[in-house]
Structures are given as structure tokens and as C-alpha cells.
Amino acid sequence: GAAPAGDLAAALALVLGAPAAVEPPAVLEPAGSPEADPTDRAAEPASARPPAGPMTVRCLGGFEIDIGGRTVDLASLRPRARALLRLLALTPSRDVHRERLVDVLWPGVDLAVGTRRLQVAVSSVRQLLEQVGLSGTTVLARNGDAYRLALPAGSMVDVELFERGLRDADAAGGTTDSALDGAVTTAVGTAAVAARESALSWYRGDLLPEDGPADHVVEERERLRLLAAAAAATLAREYRDLGQPRPALAAARRSVQLDRYQDLAWQLLADLHREVGDDSAAARARRDHAAAQAELELDEV
């Protein structure tokens, strides 16, 4: 009968002096290292992927990811995979332990079961990243028992830009001095207004509304909302100081819409309406302010 193909290959190797092909040795996990994760596979070669630009991650007013100026369609991801992506986007470039991820995404589930589900979700997100031109294992990176969203160079996150912009605006406005002449004071005020407007442009709405009243997002959502309301009130005052009542009114309205109990914004709203000659609107603002104060007093009882 015919010799098996493997025996023929070995015989030819002996005659020709070439080494026979052998199976590579199995790669063993080093002792004490984290459990192997089947999602940690080699990324597709860059030459095989379409080019991708930096990422823009939006968490305010709804979750979105833009890559190279194009919004990524997340519809192909299952709900828990999308939730994983949103959770990691809250702390970009910071490790989140897998137990924390399992606890948030699958509360009450056994850790071993939750870990397997987490690996499936990680794999799904990485596949999507590969499809849009990024290295899945690089962007959704694993470090031991933790995962992180490691954004490419030049990427932006709206929450970070919002808070950084407000700090820049405060720094610009803080340079005013009574000894400065009017032209310099106006220039400084204009710079502060521009910086605050730019920062507030990133605040499109509540943080991750998709997650509803989830514990891991509620406190941060409220903090950012109140921060935006206070910034809008400050912007209204700055516009008023610059002699620009119309944009001041718009900023004051936005402030009380974000925070019904924002005293400075209510006072500015009433004063600005009076200054532009709208006494009925000024009276209405004072009534609404009084009603908000009464509500607050009742809540504190």
C-alpha cells in the first residue's frame, strides 16, 4: 500500500538533507501570570485594515464614537458589549478590574460565569474596532485582570474637554485686575467668555443617558450637570459685564434649565429682562425663582 504522506516527507528530508517539519512546542503560561484570555489574539496586520484617524468619544447627551470624522455604528454590538464600551469610556486610559466590570454589567452572577461573559463582550468590541480600522487588542487593552480603553494619539473625550475648558476659562477670567484699563479688561473678559462657550459646547446633555439610573453613572452625571449649570450662570454674568444682554439672557436660561435651583442665574435672568425693557418676563423670572426656592425649602424639611 501507499506510504502515509508524513512518512514520505520524512524520507525525502533525510535524502535531501533538509530537516523534517515538526509541530512547534506549546507555549505555556508563565507561573503566577493571569489566566489566559481567549480574546487576546493578535490584531489584524495594519496593512489589511483601512486607515483610521483619532477617536472622538462622546458621553454627554448620548454615547457616540467618531473615528476619522465618521460616526461608528454600534448597532451590531449586543447591549452588554455596548454597556462595556460606555463603562470603559468613563475612565479612558485607566484600568478597570474585571471583577468591577462583572459586578456592574452582570450583578449577582458568579465571577467565573461573569468572566466568560465579559470575554465574549470584549471580543465583540474588539472585532468592531478592527472593522473600523483600529487594533482591537490595542484600543481595548488588557493588563492582567483589568481592561482599559487606550485611545489612539490625538483622540478626544468630551467629558475631559468640557472640564478642561472650564478650568481654562476660570484661569482666563481670574487674570482680571481693577488696576487694568478698560480695553485690557474687556479683552480678558472676552477671552474668558470664548473659553467658557467652547467648553459648554461639549455639554450636549446628561452623561450617558443610555444607562438610566445605574449606580455607576448617577453621581457623576449629577456632578457634571451642576457644573454645566454653574458655568452657564457665570457665562451669563460675563456677557452682562461685557454689555451683551442677549447672549447673557440665553446663558442664564440655559443655567436654570440645567439646575432649577441656580440662584445666580435666576437673579441675572430677572435683571437682564428688566434691562432690555421686558418687565413682564422679569416678573415671571422672579416668580419662578421664588417657586424654586419654596420647593428647595420643602425638600430640606
Side-chain angles (χ1 to χ4, degrees):
D7 293 344
L8 287 173
L12 285 171
L14 288 173
V15 171
L16 299 174
V22 295
E23 288 293 322
V27 178
L28 300 178
E29 189 77 16
S33 65
E35 179 185 353
D37 186 340
T39 65
D40 288 337
R41 291 187 287 269
E44 185 180 357
S47 59
R49 297 194 304 266
M55 299 172 66
T56 299
V57 179
R58 301 179 190 274
C59 299
L60 297 167
F63 187 68
E64 286 182 2
I65 291 180
D66 294 344
I67 298 179
R70 301 181 64 180
T71 300
V72 176
D73 185 0
L74 303 176
S76 63
L77 292 177
R78 291 181 178 273
R80 283 295 182 271
R82 290 199 300 271
L84 168 65
L85 194 51
R86 293 195 301 271
L87 181 55
L88 293 175
L90 287 173
T91 55
S93 302
R94 297 215 305 263
D95 288 344
V96 182
H97 197 277
R98 69 179 178 184
E99 289 188 20
R100 165 69 175 165
L101 296 172
V102 169
D103 184 57
V104 170
L105 297 173
W106 297 278
V109 170
D110 178 77
L111 180 59
V113 174
T115 298
R116 287 194 293 273
R117 292 179 181 177
L118 175 61
Q119 290 172 352
V120 171
V122 166
S123 179
S124 297
V125 173
R126 284 174 170 171
Q127 288 175 24
L128 177 67
L129 292 170
E130 295 283 345
Q131 290 168 10
V132 297
L134 297 170
S135 167
T137 54
T138 300
V139 176
L140 205 173
R142 181 181 180 222
N143 180 20
D145 288 333
Y147 293 90
R148 68 165 58 193
L149 193 63
L151 302 180
S155 295
M156 300 183 292
V157 181
D158 61 352
V159 174
E160 293 180 346
L161 292 171
F162 168 61
E163 295 199 79
R164 187 186 311 149
L166 291 183
R167 290 193 297 270
D168 292 344
D170 288 340
T175 61
T176 56
D177 190 305
S178 58
L180 297 176
D181 63 37
V184 174
T185 299
T186 299
V188 169
T190 301
V193 161
R196 211 172 305 278
E197 281 278 22
S198 177
L200 281 167
S201 71
W202 288 101
Y203 191 88
R204 304 181 304 160
D206 282 346
L207 177 71
L208 296 180
E210 298 91 342
D211 287 306
D215 291 341
H216 69 279
V217 75
V218 167
E219 185 175 340
E220 181 68 355
R221 181 186 294 153
E222 181 73 357
R223 183 186 73 83
L224 292 170
R225 182 181 65 81
L226 294 178
L227 188 61
T234 300
L235 181 63
R237 186 187 62 205
E238 290 171 334
Y239 269 126
R240 186 191 188 194
D241 291 344
L242 291 172
Q244 301 182 45
R246 295 298 177 185
L249 273 169
R253 288 193 194 98
R254 185 179 186 188
S255 179
V256 297
Q257 287 167 356
L258 288 168
D259 178 14
R260 183 167 167 74
Y261 309 116
Q262 184 65 237
D263 285 336
L264 172 61
W266 279 119
Q267 292 164 6
L268 284 168
L269 199 56
D271 291 346
L272 286 161
H273 277 306
R274 189 186 67 251
E275 289 171 11
V276 298
D278 193 343
D279 292 336
S280 62
R284 185 166 58 251
R286 286 191 291 270
R287 287 195 302 270
D288 289 345
H289 185 200
Q293 288 178 315
E295 289 174 12
L296 190 59
E297 289 170 1
L298 284 173
D299 290 341
E300 292 176 348
V301 172

